[in-house]
């Protein structure tokens, strides 16, 4: 059997890269019976049936996986937010960060359309940049119209498998086009009536960018925390995760408990009050969801 990695999934076919060749493969029926779906990013074993065609026989154990977009074995997630059109939302960014952290994927933050904002808006963006950098995140402020961006970003992609995430219209495809013009990914204008981007990316595909692999994925604006339990939420906030051992109670949710190191850090401004408010909002959302049976 040959080995390779799924780099594209489309209409029931899985395109497996093995060496310099790409094979068009179908999944074995046994996967359907076990309700296992091969994902882009999967390392697989396959048998060639005809030249350039084959059947996937085995799927290697995944280090991580995302449901939306459906992709596996990711090294890092580049969360793309825009400064304007749509307006920057720290709440939405924190939703993405929590989701990515819960999957043990390294998040990076790219904020686009910096060339379109006023000096006052720039002050706000610079403030948030410092907040996230203080936590330990890498933050880049970008304009896809500036040709000097790609060299600044190249080191992020080398030998990594990256996934782009962010709501529609923030400029993910435009950014990839700047990084690698030969991709010529379809981009679309913001829908003026809706105030958000039209979905222009229809499938998940891993593409070679700056000696790494990058997935361009459909943008989406709604995130839920169905896979995260209340006890796990603070672990998705690195600045809280670092302090939880100092709380008086094991399993402290950093809300109403006394002698809480996280609340003390918020009071001392060592933890961003905005991030803490978002944490409480997410905690309430998780605790109020209907129980699963």
């Amino acid at each position: 059997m040959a080995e390779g990695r799924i780099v594209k999934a489309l209409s029931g076919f899985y395109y497996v890269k093995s060496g310099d060749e790409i094979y068009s493969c179908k999944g074995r029926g046994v996967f359907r019976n076990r309700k296992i779906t091969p994902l882009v990013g999967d390392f697989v074993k396959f048998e060639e049936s005809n030249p350039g065609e084959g059947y996937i026989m085995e799927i290697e154990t995944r280090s991580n996986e995302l449901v939306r977009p459906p992709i596996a074995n990711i090294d890092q997630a580049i969360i793309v937010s825009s400064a304007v059109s749509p307006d920057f939302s720290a709440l939405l960014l924190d939703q993405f960060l929590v989701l990515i952290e819960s999957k043990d994927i390294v998040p990076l933050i790219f904020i686009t359309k910096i060339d379109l904002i006023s000096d006052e808006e720039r002050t706000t963006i610079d403030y948030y940049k410092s907040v996230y950098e203080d936590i330990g995140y890498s933050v880049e402020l970008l304009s896809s119209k500036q040709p000097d961006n790609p060299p600044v970003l190249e080191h992020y992609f080398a030998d990594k498998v990256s996934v782009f995430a962010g709501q529609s219209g923030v400029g993910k495809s435009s950014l990839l086009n700047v990084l690698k013009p030969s991709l010529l990914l379809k981009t679309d204008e913001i829908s003026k009536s809706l105030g958000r981007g039209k979905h222009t990316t229809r499938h998940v595909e891993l593409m070679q960018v700056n000696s790494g692999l990058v997935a361009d994925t459909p943008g989406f604006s709604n995130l839920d925390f169905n896979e995260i339990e209340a006890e796990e939420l603070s672990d998705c906030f690195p600045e809280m995760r670092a302090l939880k051992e100092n709380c008086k109670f094991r399993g402290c949710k950093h809300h109403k408990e006394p002698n809480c190191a996280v609340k003390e850090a918020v009071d001392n401004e060592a933890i961003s009050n905005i991030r803490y408010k978002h944490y409480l909002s997410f905690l309430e959302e998780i605790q109020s969801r209907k129980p699963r049976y």
Side-chain angles (χ1 to χ4, degrees):
M1 279 191 290
E3 297 183 355
R5 181 175 204 150
I6 299 175
V7 293
K8 182 168 74 168
L10 192 62
S11 303
F13 285 91
Y14 302 97
Y15 296 85
V16 179
K17 190 173 191 297
S18 182
D20 293 329
E21 300 292 323
I22 291 183
Y23 297 82
S24 173
C25 297
K26 298 282 280 184
R28 290 179 62 206
V30 66
F31 295 131
R32 283 194 301 276
N33 297 340
R34 295 186 199 156
K35 295 185 177 177
I36 297 173
T37 302
L39 296 177
V40 169
D42 272 335
F43 293 103
V44 299
K45 293 180 179 177
F46 67 98
E47 287 185 352
E48 192 173 5
S49 53
N50 292 304
E53 298 179 352
Y55 285 90
I56 294 173
M57 309 301 287
E58 293 180 30
I59 300 173
E60 301 292 331
T61 302
R62 296 164 180 159
S63 59
N64 53 50
E65 65 181 271
L66 294 174
V67 176
R68 221 176 35 175
I71 191 165
N73 301 315
I74 299 300
D75 294 316
Q76 59 187 17
I78 296 160
I79 303 171
V80 186
S81 297
S82 57
V84 288
S85 254
D87 290 341
F88 177 79
S89 167
L91 178 67
L92 188 60
L93 175 55
D94 282 342
Q95 285 178 298
F96 276 108
L97 285 168
V98 166
L99 183 68
I100 298 305
E101 290 275 4
S102 74
K103 299 293 185 180
D104 293 324
I105 299 171
V106 175
L108 309 175
I109 301 168
F110 287 5
I111 302 177
T112 61
K113 307 184 186 181
I114 293 300
D115 52 318
L116 303 179
I117 58 176
S118 66
D119 290 344
E120 185 179 349
E121 290 167 327
R122 178 62 188 251
T123 301
T124 301
I125 294 294
D126 285 342
Y127 165 74
Y128 279 112
K129 182 176 188 286
S130 67
V131 167
Y132 289 105
E133 286 180 335
D134 286 347
I135 294 167
Y137 291 123
S138 296
V139 184
E140 291 285 351
L141 306 184
L142 306 169
S143 163
S144 57
K145 293 180 173 61
Q146 293 171 351
D148 59 343
N149 274 323
V152 176
L153 303 177
E154 276 183 359
H155 66 282
Y156 286 118
F157 297 93
D159 304 317
K160 301 281 189 185
V161 178
S162 309
V163 60
F164 273 65
Q167 77 183 118
S168 298
V170 294
K172 297 187 299 297
S173 293
S174 296
L175 183 56
L176 274 170
N177 284 337
V178 172
L179 288 165
K180 188 174 182 180
S182 61
L183 293 175
L184 291 175
L185 295 167
K186 184 186 174 192
T187 58
D188 216 332
E189 291 297 313
I190 294 288
S191 166
K192 299 298 182 187
S193 60
L194 296 176
R196 55 187 170 85
K198 299 173 184 175
H199 296 289
T200 55
T201 311
R202 300 298 177 186
H203 65 276
V204 180
E205 180 175 357
L206 286 175
M207 299 165 292
Q208 196 81 33
V209 173
N210 292 342
S211 70
L213 292 171
V214 174
D216 185 39
T217 59
F220 51 94
S221 54
N222 293 319
L223 295 164
D224 56 51
F225 302 125
N226 284 336
E227 296 181 24
I228 302 173
E229 300 301 329
E231 297 74 20
E232 303 166 340
L233 179 62
S234 67
D235 284 340
C236 302
F237 287 75
E239 66 272 46
M240 296 186 189
R241 187 168 66 224
L243 291 176
K244 69 175 186 179
E245 298 300 326
N246 298 332
C247 293
K248 180 177 181 180
F249 295 102
R250 184 187 294 270
C252 180
K253 295 190 182 68
H254 321 304
H255 185 201
K256 298 176 180 176
E257 299 89 343
N259 300 324
C260 169
V262 168
K263 287 194 292 183
E264 186 176 316
V266 174
D267 290 340
N268 295 333
E269 299 184 0
I271 286 179
S272 159
N273 189 51
I274 295 170
R275 287 268 290 173
Y276 181 64
K277 284 180 178 177
H278 292 168
Y279 166 78
L280 293 180
S281 172
F282 301 159
L283 182 65
E284 183 181 358
E285 180 182 332
I286 291 171
Q287 290 178 325
S288 64
R289 73 188 175 201
K290 293 179 181 176
R292 289 171 291 173
Y293 298 101

